[in-house]
Amino acid sequence: MNANRWRANKSFEVTDIPSLRMIVDLGNLDNSVAIHTPGQSGHAFHSHYNDMVEPWRKIEYHQMLWKSKNVIENTTATLRLIPKLVE
């Protein structure tokens, strides 16, 4: 579904579009797909900030990884947050 918003009392111009789209197979989560507008990072100067713009624009999706094995096999980097103990 590619839902959007428009105002019938003014014009039929689209005013809002979905940033996240997903198709979830509740019978088998590994068959689920999704796409998010900007990318995987919310940081403007990060290499993954806008890496999903073109696939989103073309209504393309990527596989949603659910099983630990699939996640591990497809991991390219890991960010570890280690809390600093304050005395």
Side-chain angles (χ1 to χ4, degrees), residues 6-69:
W6 46 271
R7 296 181 181 185
N9 63 344
K10 292 189 176 183
S11 71
F12 290 97
E13 290 181 48
V14 173
T15 58
D16 299 300
I17 56 176
S19 61
L20 170 68
R21 298 187 202 111
M22 70 173 79
I23 302 169
V24 180
D25 181 345
L26 297 175
N28 181 356
L29 293 176
D30 287 322
N31 286 333
S32 302
V33 293
I35 191 69
H36 191 268
T37 313
Q40 291 297 308
S41 173
H43 301 286
F45 298 104
H46 194 276
S47 62
H48 294 293
Y49 178 69
N50 63 359
D51 57 355
M52 291 187 182
V53 171
E54 281 303 305
W56 178 88
R57 189 179 69 77
K58 295 176 183 175
I59 310 178
E60 298 173 350
Y61 294 87
H62 62 85
Q63 182 182 6
M64 295 172 70
L65 304 174
W66 291 92
K67 293 181 180 174
S68 294
K69 177 182 178 262

